[in-house]
Amino acid sequence: MDVVRKSEALLREITRRPIREIRRLALDLKRLWRLWITGGSARYKKIFIAGCARSGTTLTQRLMGCFEDTFVHRAEAKYTQLDLLDRPEANLVVKRAERSHVHLAKLPSAVGLIYCVRHPFDVLTSSHPESRAQRRFHVTPERWLAEYDALLRLRKTQPRRAIAYVRYEDMIAQPNAVQERIARAFDLKPRIRFSEDPGNPIRATSLQKWERNEEFRTYLRALPPVFLARLKAFCDEFGYDMPDWARG
């Protein structure tokens, strides 16, 4: 009955707290209710966002904050961070850290997976403030290959795992449709439509820059044929076109 007493105490607190805290108290009550009906162990729905850098993982992280009863861990982290979170929300979301792909194949089966993909030519010609002083483009071919190989290892190790793939291009063109698909995949309820999120960072100008930039095309044409073959396999699977010169 300890849970019942705590619930009653929280209800009394509602009358003494500012309005801005009522929602948090409601979530605390919901968590206590889960503790009560599950015999003392909270059961969270855990979701991990993975994918190569510059593939829309941050955009997807933002989208996940548009669901009800969902806590999105702001910092990048390993999937093990999901086990360290003690939150009143029922749904927990963590976005991958820089080297999370190394351990992706060990992702526990109880953790849901959203995997972000983007046309590799856009990924390979995207810059980032954190690395701009060191190199022209943020994602090196070696990094891209490591990420793709990690995905292949995961699917080989866990052939029955359900993976919710999110194409960056679809997120830009149809953000609400992507949100609805994720909601169905993980049984989530939208709090706000992603297109109506005031902090929505969608930018259509980020699509296919390589087609409009001669410097980018020159860089891509110089990539080794063996690497371009790996890109082709990825593009064939996820529905991306490649120019004739890159098809070998």
Side-chain angles (χ1 to χ4, degrees):
M1 299 299 292
D2 185 57
V3 171
V4 176
R5 288 194 295 272
K6 289 183 179 179
S7 298
E8 292 174 347
L10 280 171
L11 285 171
R12 289 194 297 270
E13 280 293 312
I14 289 177
T15 61
R16 298 198 292 266
R17 295 290 186 90
I19 295 299
R20 66 178 180 273
E21 294 189 20
I22 290 179
R23 185 173 181 272
R24 176 55 186 266
L25 285 168
L27 290 173
D28 285 340
L29 283 170
K30 182 178 291 186
R31 181 169 180 269
L32 284 169
W33 175 252
R34 290 204 308 273
L35 285 169
W36 190 11
I37 65 175
T38 59
S41 60
R43 296 179 181 177
Y44 296 108
K45 185 176 296 177
K46 301 174 182 179
I47 301 172
F48 189 61
I49 300 172
C52 187
R54 315 308 288 167
S55 293
T57 54
T58 299
L59 194 61
T60 302
Q61 181 188 43
R62 179 76 193 193
L63 181 151
M64 297 305 291
C66 294
F67 290 110
E68 288 188 356
D69 204 10
T70 300
F71 173 76
V72 180
H73 189 63
R74 295 186 64 179
E76 296 182 351
K78 300 176 181 178
Y79 62 76
T80 51
Q81 180 66 39
L82 288 161
D83 295 327
L84 303 178
L85 298 176
D86 182 16
R87 299 288 308 182
E89 296 88 348
N91 312 302
L92 306 178
V93 180
V94 167
K95 172 193 165 184
R96 60 103 184 98
E98 182 178 357
R99 291 191 52 79
S100 289
H101 61 279
V102 175
H103 306 289
L104 186 63
K106 298 179 181 178
L107 186 69
S109 59
V111 177
L113 176 62
I114 297 175
Y115 197 92
C116 302
V117 299
R118 184 183 183 185
H119 196 300
F121 282 4
D122 274 329
V123 174
L124 291 163
T125 56
S126 179
S127 60
H128 192 283
E130 293 181 0
S131 60
R132 195 167 291 156
Q134 290 78 39
R135 54 186 180 273
R136 177 68 177 87
F137 302 122
H138 184 63
V139 177
T140 64
E142 293 77 14
R143 169 70 184 276
W144 190 92
L145 274 179
E147 293 277 4
Y148 186 35
D149 285 341
L151 174 62
L152 297 180
R153 285 196 304 273
L154 170 70
R155 296 196 304 204
K156 182 177 180 179
T157 304
Q158 304 182 34
R160 296 185 179 181
R161 168 178 282 280
I163 301 175
Y165 290 104
V166 172
R167 293 192 353 146
Y168 180 87
E169 293 78 7
D170 296 340
M171 183 83 81
I172 298 297
Q174 299 178 309
N176 296 329
V178 172
Q179 182 182 14
E180 291 170 5
R181 184 158 54 83
I182 291 176
R184 291 194 300 270
F186 298 100
D187 193 23
L188 302 174
K189 185 176 180 180
R191 174 181 56 83
I192 183 175
R193 287 161 62 91
F194 190 35
S195 63
E196 298 170 358
D197 177 4
N200 189 323
I202 287 179
R203 299 183 183 87
T205 56
S206 61
L207 297 177
Q208 297 176 305
K209 284 186 177 181
W210 62 273
E211 290 186 337
R212 306 186 299 273
N213 189 300
E214 181 62 31
E215 177 196 356
F216 293 178
R217 293 197 302 274
T218 299
Y219 169 73
L220 294 169
R221 284 177 180 272
L223 294 172
V226 174
F227 178 64
L228 289 173
R230 296 298 304 278
L231 296 184
K232 181 180 180 301
F234 178 93
C235 288
D236 288 346
E237 176 176 358
F238 293 105
Y240 293 121
D241 293 328
M242 290 185 70
D244 291 339
W245 57 262
R247 289 183 168 273

